Amino acid sequence: NDKVVIELDDGTARRKGVKETITLDSGLHPIKVEFSDSSGLARMRLLWTPPGATAEEAIPAKAFFHEKGSER
């Protein structure tokens, strides 16, 4: 929803990583991810706790929606 959740100049310096949790109302929400890796060792995960579940998991492709022509 047009809010920056995590912004790091040098996330590779944080060996344990960074985690941010947000709560969203049900419905569609725009997500924009910008990720850069100059070391070749970085990784990123986008997880959710689906409705009715108690544990985090990788977001399945079927949970995403893309409007044709909405690319920036």
Side-chain angles (χ1 to χ4, degrees), residues 23-65:
T23 301
L24 300 171
D25 295 328
S26 63
L28 299 175
H29 298 277
I31 296 175
K32 179 180 179 180
V33 176
E34 295 180 5
F35 180 76
S36 173
D37 172 29
S38 60
S39 70
L41 302 173
R43 66 181 182 159
M44 186 197 76
R45 297 186 304 163
L46 181 61
L47 306 173
W48 77 338
T49 304
T54 57
E56 293 177 338
E57 61 183 53
I59 303 174
K62 67 182 181 182
F64 290 97
F65 175 82

